[in-house]
Each structure stands twice: as C-alpha cells, then as structure tokens.
C-alpha cells in the first residue's frame, strides 16, 4: 500500500508532470486564460490518462514494440473522442470554449509519456493510480496558472468579477499582458521557482 | 513561385509554431540543453513535417473532404468523411515517426540515445498534428503550397529550438538563482523570446 501511495503523491509534488518532467506544456499554456476551462480540461485529462494507462497496461504483453506508438495513439484517440462527445452533450458551452484543445489531448505528451514510461511495464492497478496521480499533478498546475492569469488578466474568477469596483475607480487596471501566451510561460517559470525554493533536492546542478 | 516563397517565409517567422501558437513545447523545452541535440531533433521535426503535411494534404483532398471521393465514381460526390481526419492524420504521423526512429537508431545511435524518450514523443508533438490541422484549416490549393508550409513551419521550429539551446549554453555561465536553474529560467527565457517574436505578428508580405 505504501508503494501505491507514493505512486499517487509523488507526481503531485516532486515528480510533477508539468514542473519537473516538463510534459504537457502546450495545452497548459493555451487554455489557462480562464479557470473554468482549466478545470474542465484537467478532468478530461484525468479521464483519458487513467483509462489509457489501464488499457495499455492490460495489453502490454500483446503489443509488438515496433507498432506500440500507433496502438497507443489509437487508444488515446478513441478515449478523446468519448470525452469530446460527453462534453458536447452535457456542458456544451464549455466544450465550445475549449474547441480544438479537447482534440489536442491526443497530442498531449503527458499521456504518451506515462504510457511509454509506466503503463508498458506495470500491472493495471499501479497503472491506474499512476494515471490518476499524474493527471492530478497536471491539473493542480493548470488550476494555479489559470487562477493567477484570470485574476490578474481579467479581474474575474470562474467568470465572476472579484476585483472591487472601487479599485478600478482608483486607477487599477487589468493587466492585458497576462492574457497573452508568453505570460503563461513566465507564470509557470515562477511556479517552478517557488516549488524548487521549497524542495531543495529538485534544484539542478549547473 | 512567388506565392510559395511567401508561404514559406510566413510560416517561418510570422506564424512560428513555437512563438505564435505555442505548439510542440514539451520536447522544445526538454531537449534544448545543447545545440547539437536540438539540431538533431529540429532536423527530425523538419523531416516529419515536410512529409506528413503533403501526405495529409493528399488524404484530405482525395479521400476525406466532402466530394473528394468523386474521382472513384460520381455516386460518392456527397460523401463527407472529414470527421475521420483526426484519427487518420495521427496514424500517418505515428507511422512516419516510427520510420524516423528506425532510421535514426540505425544510422546515428549516439543521437538516438541522447534523444531518449523524446523521439517517440515527436508523434505527440503538437507542432506535427498542428501542422496538418492548419493545412486543413487554411485550405491550401496545391500540394506545393502544403509542402512549402510544412517545410517552413519545420524550419521555424528548428530555428526556435536551436536559438533557445544557444541561449541556454550561454546561461550556464551566468549566476542564476539556484531554484530557477535549468527548467525555470528556460520557461522565462522562452516567454521573453515569445514577446520578442510578437513583433513579427501582423506583418504582411
């Protein structure tokens, strides 16, 4: 049980897929302008990653290694189509907002990375836990980045205005730069800085 | 000819895959430690994009788009298979990447081991799928335009990763705060490069 516990907690902090393994950055930059989109995206990735990990883990002894990439992509693509259809059916407005980025989960390297690095060599239960852990670590960073970008960039959270009117009257202005993609990179950079200042063993040698 | 050159230059600088659309970031950030490795990966991306975009163009226009099947018989004129484009494009990309992987493993084993997990990850490099999807969206009219776009975006990606690698090689000599070393400063440098590249936006050839 201790080992499984570690499989879940490690990816959230010291093996975080975004800040330590540097996987899945593309989507993290594009959909973190608003908090709501980031939460829906995190849940979609959680679903796809957990199931893809289990399926590949079950099939791991039957996949010839030469064609493993294609097999993995077919599994991921089918799961993403399911997510896309469910989002369209139940939360149409969010699905419209995410548009192409649901499709781009297929090319989210965090999923492929976990399949290659973990699911191909482990049993289904640890693979499931690993998938959930990594997706949670990913979602956590997404939500933190989106929180700051939405708060500073448009003065809202989850679409509701949170910056008091008085501030604006006083001369406060939303920082339009936060909405542009380069600031997403810099925000992630600052998160990495904060994390490594706290967890010393992650600091890289020169 | 003029038109092809326009598309080529535009896809390198103005519509740069990394700085204008932030595609292909994962391998971009992780493999840019030295100029040598990043040159290898950059060349692989140019090669894969230069092949997949024209191949996907042919598939799109002769198999998937509405009415594309009418060359078989006029009865297929109403068939629209474009909902299949995602899975077909990704299949083409995956097989191309597997091919490149075999070639590199055979002829450049040192490069193969230094690229590590990132070679198979080219298959999920969003720049590659993004290239095919942009090709579909922008409706290029000939296969030459599609090829020129594919090669141009590959070259743009190549320039971006080699540029970042060169900066990172120099950064090793500066006194970066310890927790920011490595990945952290890379993110911030990329952000600044992105802001610099935004000056190309809006330029019309």
């Amino acid at each position: 049980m201790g080992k499984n516990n570690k499989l879940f907690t490690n990816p959230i902090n010291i093996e975080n897929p975004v800040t330590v393994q540097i996987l899945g950055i593309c989507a993290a930059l594009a959909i973190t302008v608003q908090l709501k989109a980031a939460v829906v995206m995190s849940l979609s990735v959680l679903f796809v990653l957990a199931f893809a990990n289990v399926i590949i883990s079950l099939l791991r002894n039957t996949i010839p290694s030469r064609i493993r990439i294609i097999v993995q992509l077919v599994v991921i693509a089918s799961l993403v189509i399911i997510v896309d259809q469910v989002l369209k059916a139940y939360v149409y407005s969010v699905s419209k907002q995410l548009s192409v980025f649901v499709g781009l989960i297929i090319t989210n390297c965090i999923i492929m990375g976990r399949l290659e690095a973990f699911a191909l060599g482990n049993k289904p239960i640890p693979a499931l836990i690993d998938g959930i852990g990594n997706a949670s670590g990913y979602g956590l960073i997404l939500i933190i980045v989106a929180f700051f970008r939405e708060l500073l960039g448009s003065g809202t959270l989850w679409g509701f205005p949170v910056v008091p009117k008085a501030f604006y009257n006083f001369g406060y202005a939303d920082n339009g730069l936060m909405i542009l993609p380069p600031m997403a990179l810099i925000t992630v950079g600052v998160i990495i800085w904060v994390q490594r200042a706290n967890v010393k063993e992650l600091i890289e040698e020169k | 000819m003029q038109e092809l050159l326009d598309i080529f230059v535009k896809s390198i600088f103005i519509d740069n895959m990394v700085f204008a659309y932030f595609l292909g970031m994962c391998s971009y950030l992780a493999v840019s430690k030295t100029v040598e490795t990043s040159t290898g990966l950059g060349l692989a991306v140019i090669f894969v994009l230069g092949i997949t975009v024209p191949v996907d163009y042919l598939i799109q226009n002769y198999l998937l788009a509405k009415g594309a099947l009418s060359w078989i018989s006029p009865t297929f004129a109403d068939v629209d298979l474009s909902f299949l484009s995602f899975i077909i494009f990704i299949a083409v990309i995956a097989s191309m990447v597997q091919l490149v992987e075999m070639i590199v493993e055979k002829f450049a084993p040192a490069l193969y081991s230094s690229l590590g997990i990132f070679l198979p990850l080219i298959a999920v490099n969003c720049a590659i799928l993004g290239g095919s999807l942009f090709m579909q969206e922008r409706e290029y009219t000939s296969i030459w335009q599609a090829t020129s776009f594919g090669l141009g975006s590959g070259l743009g990606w190549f320039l971006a990763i080699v540029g970042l690698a060169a900066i990172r090689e120099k950064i090793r000599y500066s006194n970066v705060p310890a927790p920011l070393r490595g990945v952290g400063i890379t993110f911030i440098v990329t952000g600044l490069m992105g802001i610099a590249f935004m000056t190309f936006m809006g330029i019309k050839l």
Side-chain angles (χ1 to χ4, degrees), chain A residues 31-54:
Chain A
I31 49 93
T32 49
V33 175
Q34 280 177 328
L35 194 55
K36 197 172 181 181
V39 171
V40 173
M41 184 69 178
S42 312
L43 292 177
S44 316
V45 170
L46 181 75
F47 171 83
V48 175
L49 184 52
F51 279 90
N53 250 358
V54 171

Side-chain angles (χ1 to χ4, degrees), chain A residues 31-39 97 142-165 167-168 172-176 178-179:
Chain A
I31 49 93
T32 49
V33 175
Q34 280 177 328
L35 194 55
K36 197 172 181 181
V39 171
Q97 196 187 349
L142 234 63
I143 288 165
I144 296 174
V145 176
F147 176 82
F148 284 108
R149 285 184 78 192
E150 192 179 350
L151 182 65
L152 300 176
S154 13
T156 57
L157 282 179
W158 204 266
F160 298 108
V162 288
V163 177
K165 258 265 161 340
F167 278 34
Y168 288 109
Y172 174 85
D174 292 326
N175 185 353
M178 288 304 287
I179 297 183

Side-chain angles (χ1 to χ4, degrees), chain B residues 100-190:
Chain B
V100 172
E101 192 184 349
M102 288 178 203
I103 293 173
V104 173
E105 188 179 7
K106 178 102 176 140
F107 293 106
L111 182 64
Y112 180 78
S113 56
S114 66
L115 289 178
I117 192 180
F118 286 97
L119 200 55
L121 282 183
I122 291 185
V124 280
N125 189 324
C126 355
I128 311 279
L129 182 62
S132 291
L133 293 177
F134 278 130
M135 175 275 299
Q136 188 184 27
E137 184 192 302
R138 290 180 193 160
E139 294 175 347
Y140 290 119
T141 46
S142 75
I143 187 169
W144 305 114
Q145 290 188 357
T147 315
S148 140
F149 168 72
L151 289 174
S153 1
L155 199 57
W157 200 88
F158 172 85
L159 279 183
I161 194 172
V162 173
L164 181 69
I167 293 178
R168 285 183 76 173
E169 282 194 354
K170 291 288 174 202
I171 268 184
R172 221 169 290 154
Y173 304 109
S174 27
N175 190 15
V176 179
L180 206 52
R181 266 178 222 152
V183 192
I185 194 72
T186 311
F187 269 93
I188 292 175
V189 166
T190 312

Side-chain angles (χ1 to χ4, degrees), chain B residues 64-120:
Chain B
L64 298 177
K66 189 169 165 57
L69 282 173
S70 54
W71 58 273
I72 299 178
S73 104
T75 43
F76 288 128
D78 290 336
V79 179
D80 184 359
L81 291 177
S82 48
F83 67 94
L84 282 177
S85 60
F86 266 39
I87 204 155
I88 302 266
F89 286 177
I90 207 78
V92 169
I93 291 167
S95 21
M96 282 304 151
V97 168
Q98 200 98 59
L99 193 69
V100 172
E101 192 184 349
M102 288 178 203
I103 293 173
V104 173
E105 188 179 7
K106 178 102 176 140
F107 293 106
L111 182 64
Y112 180 78
S113 56
S114 66
L115 289 178
I117 192 180
F118 286 97
L119 200 55

